[in-house]
Amino acid sequence: MPPQFEDLKVDGAATIRRVAEHIGVEASPELIDKVIEGSTFSAMSSQAVANNDGEGVGHLRKGDVGDWRRHFSQVLSDEFDLEFREQMRGTGLRYDLGDGKELVAD
């Protein structure tokens, strides 16, 4: 299964190593540290603000696993589940919903 955001939150270094290996980049400890530092929510939101002339960036939320639940109604969540299964049918892709729940595209 490809690395997901939740994997970064659980073990950032291992996830970055997996991505680096996949794209053929040697992941030195220094590179891993730099990527981890640069991919924190704080660093990315600061960079987004800097790239937008100091304006806030509306598409960034909290960077927490499962925060999507605060933005989706149950109806919208059900619609997403249905669409995910339809669009990803046959791939075997698993989507971690957090709280031990996942969607599986059979």
Side-chain angles (χ1 to χ4, degrees):
M1 184 162 74
Q4 299 178 347
F5 173 73
E6 293 80 5
D7 299 327
L8 284 169
K9 297 293 263 186
V10 171
D11 189 347
T15 303
I16 292 164
R17 275 199 256 356
R18 283 182 58 205
V19 171
E21 182 178 308
H22 178 75
I23 63 173
V25 172
E26 186 175 333
S28 68
E30 295 80 18
L31 177 62
I32 290 172
D33 289 345
K34 186 174 182 177
V35 171
I36 288 173
E37 182 181 316
S39 60
T40 64
F41 183 75
S42 175
M44 288 190 294
S45 58
S46 294
Q47 187 64 37
V49 169
N51 288 337
N52 285 287
D53 297 325
E55 295 293 318
V57 180
H59 70 276
L60 296 176
R61 293 196 321 260
K62 294 166 73 175
D64 291 336
V65 173
D67 184 53
W68 62 271
R69 286 185 177 91
R70 294 181 346 105
H71 304 275
F72 275 38
S73 67
Q74 188 58 54
V75 170
L76 188 56
S77 179
D78 292 343
E79 287 177 17
F80 175 85
D81 294 358
L82 202 62
E83 189 67 20
F84 173 86
R85 287 187 177 103
E86 177 67 24
Q87 295 292 324
M88 300 299 145
R89 184 179 311 150
T91 65
L93 185 66
R94 296 176 177 276
Y95 184 75
D96 185 352
L97 297 170
D99 299 336
K101 298 174 188 161
E102 68 180 7
L103 287 174
V104 179
D106 298 325

